[in-house]
Amino acid sequence: MSTLIKNATIFDNSSQYHLQKKDILIIDGQIHKIAETIKTEDHFKVIELDNLHVSCGWFDSSVSLGEPGYEERENLENGLLVAAKSGFTKVAVNPNTNPIVDSKSDVEYLKSKSFNTATSLYPIGALTQQSKGIELAELYDMQKSGAIAFGDYNLPIENDNLMKVALLYAQNFDGLVLSFPKNNKIAGVGIANEGINSTKLGLKGIPALAEHIQIVRDLFLLEYTGGKLHIPTITTTKSVEIIKEAKKKGLQVTCSVAVHHLALTDDELHGFDSRFKTNPPLRSEKDRKALIKGVKSGIIDCITSDHNPIDIENKKVEFSQAEDGVIGLESAFGILNNLLELEEFIPLLTNKPKTVFGLVDNVIEEGNKADITLFNPKIESKFTQEHILSTSNNSPFINKKTKGEVYGVFANNQLILK
């Protein structure tokens, strides 16, 4: 298979061709030639698109795909196709399925079901058996089978000693431990950010303190044990400050932020629309701005869609009864590009998160494997129902302004375009 990408601006600050407009010839999945002009031959598949930009393929560090057990929400085949059409060539898939992904065989099932897809699937194994927070799962066996990290999705580890043991044990095979930043005893039965809006609306609040206490505990444990810790989807000003100080100490801690926490605040809750019910909850404008600053300063390592499809029966109900979660793959680029400059967020979708999770970032150079996202950064539009490709429809970005358009990906010797 030979594919010729014409007149593409290369956005890859690790490449000698960064910000240069080039033709890229891909033969059998490998970048064969990069030049000002490459002569078209009859057997080439030629790609010419308006204001075409290419970068290394994007990686999403938190995606839920339903299968097995929740196929009515999303299945692997469609979910990975959605990821590809949204620009993601690699996704880390959460273990929140039925059964929970907590064993070698579960990881192997996911890997086998995603074989030969353009978007590569990397399982996150549950940290504890059935994500119950009582006993550690088969961490080493899961890593040998392809798991890239271990965490109980959106569930905190309440047992301090269990987290300590996890951090110690994972060092034996250079494992990455994820710890969801929430103290359940402080959060209680809260369903929204504790603040002015929750008070006005009569919604039980989740204090920012619940996040801070959990992060501080985990960092104390990390300082004691050593090892590697990743804190997913932080949401507050103080969390950014705490992690900044921990990094200054030399602790191996990384963190991510979800797109919806960069773009939205708890002001959205005034319509009691369950599409805005998330875990962690949407916070204040002050917190949102601090997260943006954390991205720009490099304290935050990854940006994730935190894509979590929820079927209509569990989402379009009374706010207090609705399940947490949003879909975000399809809207991620357009929303981020409306908030940040390309040079500020593309590295947090490419080389930085791949380094955190131990993956290879294929630089756009001759001789390298072609793992490329194709996009146009200039088009301004509005995200509508028609843009949703997922099986579920729980997007908080309906009718929100976006900037840019994803054309698709070339990865695993497959071209996927919208």
Side-chain angles (χ1 to χ4, degrees):
M1 178 183 175
S2 299
T3 301
L4 178 59
I5 300 174
K6 297 288 291 182
N7 298 315
T9 300
I10 296 173
F11 195 93
D12 179 1
N13 56 18
S14 298
S15 169
Q16 63 178 306
Y17 303 108
H18 182 51
L19 299 182
Q20 298 179 34
K21 185 174 281 192
K22 298 289 185 182
D23 288 359
I24 304 171
L25 178 60
I26 302 169
I27 299 177
D28 295 329
Q30 188 176 56
I31 299 174
H32 180 73
K33 187 177 181 180
I34 300 175
E36 293 289 337
T37 303
I38 299 174
K39 185 179 178 181
T40 302
E41 298 184 16
D42 290 341
H43 63 284
F44 288 175
K45 169 74 173 178
V46 179
I47 306 299
E48 286 190 273
L49 298 164
D50 184 44
N51 192 33
L52 177 59
H53 285 57
V54 298
S55 72
C56 293
W58 303 339
F59 170 63
D60 194 329
S61 60
S62 178
V63 172
S64 300
L65 292 181
E67 186 177 358
Y70 301 110
E71 287 84 355
E72 72 280 5
R73 301 180 176 184
E74 191 66 276
N75 60 58
L76 291 170
E77 180 181 7
N78 188 65
L80 292 173
L81 183 60
V82 172
K85 290 182 176 181
S86 303
F88 295 92
T89 64
K90 295 178 172 67
V91 293
V93 174
N94 296 311
N96 56 328
T97 50
N98 186 16
I100 296 287
V101 179
D102 65 356
S103 69
K104 177 175 184 253
S105 60
D106 295 328
V107 170
E108 290 173 347
Y109 170 82
L110 291 178
K111 295 293 286 184
S112 66
K113 286 281 287 186
S114 61
F115 179 73
N116 199 33
T117 55
T119 297
S120 299
L121 184 155
Y122 294 90
I124 295 175
L127 185 64
T128 65
Q129 294 175 25
Q130 299 178 54
S131 289
K132 290 185 175 180
I134 299 173
E135 299 284 345
L136 287 183
E138 303 173 4
L139 307 189
Y140 177 71
D141 286 347
M142 285 194 285
Q143 180 147 314
K144 294 291 282 185
S145 296
I148 60 169
F150 309 98
D152 295 344
Y153 179 67
N154 278 6
L155 295 170
I157 302 299
E158 296 185 357
N159 186 316
D160 304 334
N161 190 59
L162 185 63
M163 178 55 72
K164 182 197 77 174
V165 170
L167 288 165
L168 287 168
Y169 176 59
Q171 291 178 63
N172 292 304
F173 46 89
D174 198 32
L176 177 64
V177 174
L178 277 58
S179 181
F180 184 63
K182 182 179 181 183
N183 180 295
N184 275 338
K185 290 184 174 62
I186 297 293
V189 293
I191 56 175
N193 177 51
E194 183 181 81
I196 293 173
N197 283 321
S198 65
T199 303
K200 285 181 177 178
L201 298 170
L203 298 173
K204 293 180 180 178
I206 300 175
L209 180 66
E211 182 166 306
H212 307 153
I213 284 179
Q214 194 77 357
I215 291 174
V216 169
R217 182 210 67 170
D218 288 339
L219 291 174
F220 269 116
L221 291 173
L222 181 67
E223 189 171 13
Y224 177 80
T225 62
K228 297 188 300 184
L229 175 69
H230 180 71
I231 303 172
T233 57
I234 66 169
T235 65
T236 75
T237 305
K238 187 72 173 177
S239 294
V240 176
E241 294 169 358
I242 293 168
I243 292 168
K244 179 182 178 180
E245 291 305 310
K247 288 187 172 188
K248 281 185 180 178
K249 284 185 177 181
L251 298 182
Q252 288 194 74
V253 59
T254 55
C255 64
S256 72
V257 64
V259 175
H260 47 271
H261 287 120
L262 291 173
L264 305 172
T265 71
D266 59 354
D267 287 342
E268 303 283 355
L269 303 184
H270 281 269
F272 294 98
D273 189 334
S274 62
R275 290 180 299 118
F276 299 103
K277 190 180 181 190
T278 66
N279 187 20
L282 298 177
R283 300 287 188 184
S284 69
E285 177 65 8
K286 178 185 175 183
D287 291 317
R288 190 191 71 80
K289 287 180 177 178
L291 295 173
I292 292 282
K293 187 176 178 181
V295 166
K296 292 181 177 182
S297 65
I299 297 166
I300 294 173
D301 304 274
C302 316
I303 299 175
T304 174
S305 69
D306 201 24
H307 182 80
N308 186 11
I310 305 294
D311 56 285
I312 193 168
E313 287 82 3
N314 289 292
K315 198 62 172 173
K316 201 169 184 180
V317 294
E318 185 181 341
F319 189 88
S320 62
Q321 300 302 312
E323 288 197 24
D324 303 312
V326 306
I327 57 170
L329 286 169
E330 303 98 311
S331 53
F333 174 71
I335 295 296
L336 288 173
N337 196 34
N338 209 28
L339 293 169
L340 299 158
E341 299 298 325
L342 291 178
E343 57 267 25
E344 292 173 332
F345 75 88
I346 292 290
L348 276 71
L349 298 176
T350 54
N351 57 307
K352 286 191 76 175
K354 289 172 189 173
T355 299
V356 170
F357 286 83
L359 305 179
V360 174
D361 197 30
N362 294 299
V363 177
I364 301 176
E365 297 277 4
E366 292 178 359
N368 286 353
K369 181 182 176 183
D371 189 86
I372 293 172
T373 298
L374 299 85
F375 61 97
N376 179 346
K378 292 297 183 184
I379 299 172
E380 294 189 5
S381 62
K382 188 176 286 187
F383 189 79
T384 66
Q385 190 74 32
E386 287 69 37
H387 292 102
I388 294 177
L389 306 172
S390 306
T391 305
S392 295
N393 293 293
N394 53 308
S395 171
F397 294 114
I398 298 295
N399 294 324
K400 301 294 184 184
K401 290 181 181 179
T402 61
K403 181 182 176 184
E405 178 182 2
V406 176
Y407 290 130
V409 301
F410 189 102
N412 292 330
N413 201 22
Q414 297 179 51
L415 176 67
I416 303 291
L417 298 176
K418 277 186 180 176

